[in-house]
Amino acid sequence: MPGLIVVGTQYGDEGKGKIVDFLGECASYVVRYQGGNNAGHTVVVDGKTYKFHLMPAGALRDKKCLIGCGVALDPRQLAKEIDNSGKKVDLGIDPRTPIILPYHNILDGARENRMRNKSGSEIGTTNKGIGPCYEDEKSRIGLRFFDLVGNEKKLEKMIRERFEEKMIILKEVHNIEPQLLVEEVVKEYIALGKKLHPYMADVSKKVFAALKNDEKIIFEGAQGTLLDIAFGNYPKVTSSHPMSGAILTGIGLPPTIFQDFKFRIIGVVKAYTTKVGSGPVITCLDHNKWPVDENVSEKEAKIIRKNGGEVGTTTGRPRRVGWLDTVLLNYSQSLNSCKEFALTKIDVLAGIHPLKIAVAYKHNGKILKDYPSWDLEKLSECEAVYEEIDGFENFEAKKYADLPKSVKRYIEIIEDATKTPITIISTSAERKDTIFKNFKKI
Ligand code: IMP
């Protein structure tokens, strides 16, 4: 099994980091293909918590880590994560990877403020400059990793030219004059280029060679399918493609890999729904309010937020919380084609009675079969149809047979509604608290 894609099936924060870390034991490579340090992966090993934003989670197991050209790379964050790891990391970064500059962060925040003040319709981004960075890439005015680590004079020229245009936009459109000096940015980025130069690698070539060599590779998705720039709830989405097919363009692989090599796609499903930014969440227990107002949240949302630590790893903002939504999962499934799911954070639901799972939507009194991801108005008018089951109390389980009856029933409902087996069940943030059900070793 050379290729394993681990993909988020909901709105991100499904617990992919733990699953990648767990499965990473058997892999040679862990590769990222999209997103940037808007992601936040948390892994707990023997009580110690490790947080990653940009570095592939495989770094914790000293695996070979690769960052493909679909990633928006903030070199300041990457340098910090390399330093914090306190060891030599085996990392390769594709020269074609777009680079985040400080003005991207400022533009991100300025645009969000403007939208909030004008129409109250901001996205709720992580303010990491992700959108503006990909925008520059698509407009062909961005800087890439190759520019960062290449000729210093050329880098300085490129930064100065772009800086000028961004400052005009910030001043004229957003009425702000940031305390950002081009000389300092140039100096900082030249130093970062020097530091990161040794990591440059043709990731496309490396991954293809590893596949041919029958080495095991984990493709680590960031965010979740419903945040996909095209297939999520646009415009309340991120600016990349978290879905599984994006490994082709996010790394540079031909579509024939899926017929020439064995691939396995695991969708990570959190036992309930959370969303960080704004946008429709049909099963929301926070009355669809964004930002979250604890006073109007249902009591279940408060319990889930508290027990699940549902506060953004990157932003520190409370996440909106809702019941699990299998209509959304089916949509996600059709885009990702996962043959199995890993269910995470089921332990968080302990003590909530009864539990609900959305199995259909009603719109204008009619059952809606398909998920209209593009029609946010229609989505916000949908009502969830729930299956209700008895809750469960705190439990300890080392194997599937030990799980409480209600947990097993919860799993069955998801499997029935999505026609997808759950093969991994994560019962805490700890690496060791992972249960398998008919899971085929990778
Ligand atoms: P951006 O990716 O910072 O531009 O933010 C766009 C939207 O995606 C916002 O609603 C963010 O909260 C959301 N988002 C981005 N990254 C993540 C993530 O890793 N987990 C959950 N939500 C995310």
Side-chain angles (χ1 to χ4, degrees), residues 11-15 40 42 270 272-277 284 286 289-292 294 297 301 304-305 308-322 345:
Y11 292 104
D13 311 312
E14 294 95 351
T42 308
K270 182 150 67 179
Y272 47 90
T273 307
T274 59
K275 189 168 196 308
V276 190
C284 196
D286 289 302
K289 282 272 189 309
W290 171 253
V292 170
E294 283 285 3
S297 289
I304 293 172
R305 206 152 29 237
E310 294 300 350
V311 172
T313 326
T314 305
T315 58
R317 299 178 299 200
R319 295 173 181 150
R320 277 189 296 160
V321 167
K345 298 186 101 166

Side-chain angles (χ1 to χ4, degrees), residues 11-13 38-40 108 123-128 130-131 223 227 236-239 275-278 317:
Y11 292 104
D13 311 312
N38 47 349
D108 197 357
I123 298 162
T125 72
T126 57
N127 267 337
K128 299 292 176 190
I130 303 295
Q223 290 85 44
L227 288 177
K236 310 293 185 184
V237 290
T238 191
S239 299
K275 189 168 196 308
V276 190
S278 58
R317 299 178 299 200

Side-chain angles (χ1 to χ4, degrees), residues 22 44 65 84 86 88 240 269 284 289 295 298 306 333 393 415 436:
F22 194 86
V44 184
C65 293
N84 289 349
K88 201 167 171 288
S240 65
V269 177
C284 196
K289 282 272 189 309
N295 293 322
E298 297 289 339
K306 183 161 170 278
Q333 168 64 307
E393 298 304 326
E415 292 183 326
F436 297 103

Side-chain angles (χ1 to χ4, degrees), residues 76-348:
R76 297 163 294 176
Q77 176 65 27
L78 186 63
K80 226 185 273 168
E81 288 184 29
I82 291 172
D83 289 345
N84 289 349
S85 75
K87 55 186 175 187
K88 201 167 171 288
V89 290
D90 191 339
L91 175 68
I93 305 163
D94 196 274
R96 293 155 284 213
T97 310
I99 296 297
I100 295 179
L101 279 109
Y103 48 70
H104 289 134
N105 302 67
I106 302 174
L107 271 168
D108 197 357
R111 198 175 288 151
E112 283 282 281
N113 267 336
R114 189 177 158 83
M115 287 202 276
R116 189 177 309 119
N117 296 337
K118 289 244 166 211
S119 56
S121 65
E122 81 273 20
I123 298 162
T125 72
T126 57
N127 267 337
K128 299 292 176 190
I130 303 295
C133 170
Y134 282 123
E135 249 173 76
D136 277 5
E137 186 199 20
K138 301 297 183 270
S139 306
R140 292 146 299 166
I141 56 164
L143 265 69
R144 308 205 291 179
F145 190 69
F146 178 68
D147 302 313
L148 180 77
V149 301
N151 182 300
E152 288 177 20
K153 283 268 163 291
K154 195 172 150 222
L155 174 64
E156 173 165 6
K157 188 166 174 281
M158 289 178 93
I159 295 178
R160 282 187 183 277
E161 279 168 12
R162 281 134 186 93
F163 202 89
E164 195 187 355
E165 189 205 354
K166 303 299 180 204
M167 290 307 122
I168 295 172
I169 297 174
L170 284 168
K171 191 165 173 220
E172 301 299 325
V173 180
H174 299 287
N175 208 16
I176 49 176
E177 279 190 67
Q179 303 296 307
L180 191 65
L181 296 174
V182 69
E183 291 73 23
E184 282 177 14
V185 177
V186 168
K187 202 169 141 205
E188 186 183 17
Y189 273 63
I190 286 178
L192 285 165
K194 277 194 184 137
K195 184 179 170 80
L196 298 176
H197 191 191
Y199 299 107
M200 186 166 78
D202 186 337
V203 171
S204 159
K205 221 167 154 184
K206 264 189 183 273
V207 171
F208 197 68
L211 283 170
K212 276 188 160 167
N213 213 16
D214 211 24
E215 291 186 82
K216 290 177 184 161
I217 307 176
I218 296 190
F219 298 88
E220 175 184 342
Q223 290 85 44
T225 305
L226 270 294
L227 288 177
D228 188 282
I229 180 78
F231 296 95
N233 299 143
Y234 189 91
K236 310 293 185 184
V237 290
T238 191
S239 299
S240 65
H241 293 286
M243 54 197 259
S244 58
I247 69 159
L248 298 183
T249 50
I251 292 167
L253 297 168
T256 43
I257 54 161
F258 294 123
Q259 92 204 11
D260 293 343
F261 306 104
K262 275 207 183 114
F263 262 82
R264 197 158 150 188
I265 306 171
I266 299 189
V268 184
V269 177
K270 182 150 67 179
Y272 47 90
T273 307
T274 59
K275 189 168 196 308
V276 190
S278 58
V281 177
I282 285 91
T283 57
C284 196
L285 288 156
D286 289 302
H287 299 292
N288 273 322
K289 282 272 189 309
W290 171 253
V292 170
D293 179 351
E294 283 285 3
N295 293 322
V296 294
S297 289
E298 297 289 339
K299 69 175 188 307
E300 292 92 343
K302 291 180 186 174
I303 298 175
I304 293 172
R305 206 152 29 237
K306 183 161 170 278
N307 294 349
E310 294 300 350
V311 172
T313 326
T314 305
T315 58
R317 299 178 299 200
R319 295 173 181 150
R320 277 189 296 160
V321 167
W323 298 117
L324 184 72
D325 182 344
T326 61
V327 182
L328 180 154
L329 280 187
N330 277 327
Y331 172 66
S332 195
Q333 168 64 307
S334 68
L335 293 166
N336 288 306
S337 149
C338 346
K339 296 284 176 284
E340 59 200 297
F341 284 149
L343 183 70
T344 60
K345 298 186 101 166
I346 183 75
D347 53 300
V348 171

